[in-house]
Amino acid sequence: MKKFALIIMSIFLFSNNANAQQHYNNYDKLWLNVKQFETKKLPKSALKVVDEIYKKAKKENNTPQITKAILYQSKYALTLEEDAQLSIINSFKNEIVASEFPTKNILESVLADLYWQYFQQNRYRFYNRTATFEKVDTVDFRTWDLNTIFEEIH
């Protein structure tokens, strides 16, 4: 009887592990499609698949896939949109509000890095701005002064 119970428990444990792996493998085919569209230099088509992955991951609350999809959405937005930086930053902020530890911390780190990169590319603009006591525009980081962007990065 003990052997039978042990066999049943081991089958149950291994089947749950296989189901968990299958749950994550559901995204492999979609990511393969994204890679194929990338190699064919079709970013709009790749973005559509990434949006599908994001919706599916959001529905299943699959945080690794959500994070990966957001990064790819940002990549394609920079390619396809003319002034995409503001929309990318806002999408990261929205996802940070909706996320929990550790995803929230990872996204905050990426957001700080995006601010830092923007500062590095536009350093001369920030050095020529006068300091303000409060943010002129809380949404548009492109209008912030030097101290404000450093506070946000920190």
Side-chain angles (χ1 to χ4, degrees):
M1 187 67 178
K2 288 183 181 180
K3 287 182 182 180
F4 181 71
L6 183 63
I7 291 171
I8 296 295
M9 287 182 68
S10 61
I11 290 172
F12 177 73
L13 289 173
F14 287 121
S15 67
N16 280 346
N17 189 20
N19 288 338
Q21 288 299 322
Q22 186 179 12
H23 178 71
Y24 282 105
N25 290 338
N26 290 341
Y27 295 95
D28 289 344
K29 291 179 183 176
L30 293 170
W31 285 115
L32 183 62
N33 289 343
V34 170
K35 186 169 266 191
Q36 289 172 347
F37 284 130
E38 267 190 12
T39 56
K40 294 178 184 175
K41 299 198 181 352
L42 299 170
K44 256 187 185 174
S45 300
L47 180 60
K48 287 180 185 176
V49 177
V50 171
D51 288 340
E52 181 183 331
I53 292 170
Y54 177 78
K55 288 175 187 172
K56 182 178 178 181
K58 200 73 164 160
K59 184 178 175 184
E60 297 174 357
N61 199 21
N62 188 335
T63 55
Q65 294 297 327
I66 291 171
T67 306
K68 185 175 180 180
I70 291 171
L71 292 171
Y72 272 80
Q73 285 174 335
S74 302
K75 173 184 173 181
Y76 296 129
L78 286 171
T79 304
L80 297 171
E81 297 175 24
E82 188 172 323
D83 204 14
Q85 293 168 331
L86 186 60
S87 64
I88 291 170
I89 294 289
N90 288 334
S91 67
F92 268 93
K93 284 182 178 180
N94 292 336
E95 197 60 42
I96 286 169
V97 169
S99 299
E100 296 177 358
F101 176 83
T103 307
K104 183 175 187 169
N105 299 47
I106 293 168
L107 293 175
E108 285 175 342
S109 176
V110 172
L111 179 62
D113 190 51
L114 290 173
Y115 283 142
W116 179 251
Q117 288 175 12
Y118 181 78
F119 168 73
Q120 292 286 39
Q121 293 168 355
N122 299 287
R123 180 182 303 223
Y124 65 96
R125 291 182 182 162
F126 286 99
Y127 288 148
N128 291 331
R129 292 184 185 161
T130 57
T132 58
F133 291 108
E134 58 186 43
K135 292 180 187 176
V136 176
D137 186 357
T138 57
V139 177
D140 192 357
F141 63 94
R142 299 170 296 183
T143 62
W144 295 347
D145 66 342
L146 186 63
N147 291 332
T148 305
I149 197 154
F150 280 160
E151 287 174 12
E152 287 295 319
I153 291 170
H154 181 61

